[in-house]
Amino acid sequence: MNFIEYYINQYQKARPWDLPDFVFDIKDRAMEKLSTMSFPSSKDEAYRYTNVAQALEKEMTIYRPSNKDFGTEKIKKILNSDIPEIDSYSIALNNGYHLHNEPIHKLPGGVILGSFVSVVKQFESIYRDFASKYEPSDDVLVNLNTMLSGDGFFVFVPAGFKPAKPIQITSLFDGSNGALIQPHNLIIMEPGSSADVFVCDYTLSDGSFVCNDVTEVVLGKSASLNLVRMQKANDATSLITHTIVRQSASSRMKTHYLSLSGASIRNNLTVTLAGKHAEHTAKGLSFTRKTEHADNQILIIHASPDCHSNQLFKHILSDTSTGVFTGRIVVAKDAQKTLAYQRSSNILLDPKAKMNIRPQLEIYADDVKCSHGATVGQLDAEALFYLRSRGIGEIEAKKLLLQAFAGEILEDIECELLKKEMMKTVEQKMKDNF
């Protein structure tokens, strides 16, 4: 069966959504591009170690919400879960769809937070300007999402403003078994604005889900964004995320991934530094056990001079789990005075665990400073011996070393509230795994 055609047919059957015509123009253009493509296999270099076709080449239902209320049983599950709760402006998505009675929250200072579809309809002018620059992606999964997505979250921060609290989006999965979930999200930061955004992906049941998530981010001149994404999925869920960022001059962004569990996680981050003095820091920490798989694919394009990027990704792997890190830096011909750094550090706790690392540099300018490094090994035997010689038990000593290893990622989270919660979450992860 041609599964691209299958999903196109699903889109055409579901097309009478209540959306503005120009949104359907975007979806139709994505469909046209998609019709010329195929799902990547292990023969495709970008997906060499992560077989997404295996997850997507099935006759899955395209998740659509029912008219049922967000029941008390589900609320109890959320309250009894270990999703971090911080003092924040917050919303929840259920299988990619907004949950609250009020689909749009107008926050102090003109900040808009809420359902992607509702914002597109009610604040069409904000989205039209962004959508006018739309071009279909070269990534088949991004086009699939654009065509099929029904909702997601939307964050808009007006010029020169910073929300008093972090913005928290909790994305919950508990849909019908075998559902394909396709949230499409957008963050627009106007010039001089700043914000802390925390996204948590969490499964409420042991069902089998495939989520293909796209988050687009636009930073205006001198805007600042700290984006943290935590992922806690069950051992039957495949989670694929695409974060596509375009930064203007003097903008600054930090992206943190914390992947704690899931059968297969693939995070794609594509950043274009499109204006002078733009900066991006991308960091990630992944824990895998049993047969879990975590793949972080990072592409940072230095399209303008005097920009700075930094990548640091760490994996802690147990049992027969696998990890992948691909860090690619592209420096355009005119992007002189570029500073770009990349490092991957990984710890194998079992001999059958496996880590694949692919550092890539493409440099077309001559006045740059670029470097990359990678290490794969076990816990430091000398450090472990030192701790044990001071009366610390072996298990506790290993926890301390792993917490120190993870700390380099977590310490860089700028929001103190969020940093504290992430550290508590990692400490709990250590307790659960030893």
Side-chain angles (χ1 to χ4, degrees), residues 199-243:
V199 180
C200 178
D201 300 305
Y202 192 87
T203 49
L204 288 175
S205 71
D206 57 3
S208 173
F209 311 111
V210 178
C211 178
N212 179 39
D213 177 289
V214 172
T215 302
E216 298 181 271
V217 181
V218 181
L219 271 69
K221 184 177 180 181
S222 300
S224 176
L225 175 64
N226 298 309
L227 176 64
V228 177
R229 185 157 201 157
M230 188 182 80
Q231 299 162 319
K232 300 187 74 174
N234 64 32
D235 58 7
T237 292
S238 295
L239 179 59
I240 307 162
T241 75
H242 313 263
T243 304

Side-chain angles (χ1 to χ4, degrees), residues 28 37 314 316 419:
D28 289 345
M37 308 175 85
K314 295 187 173 187
I316 299 172
K419 181 192 299 184

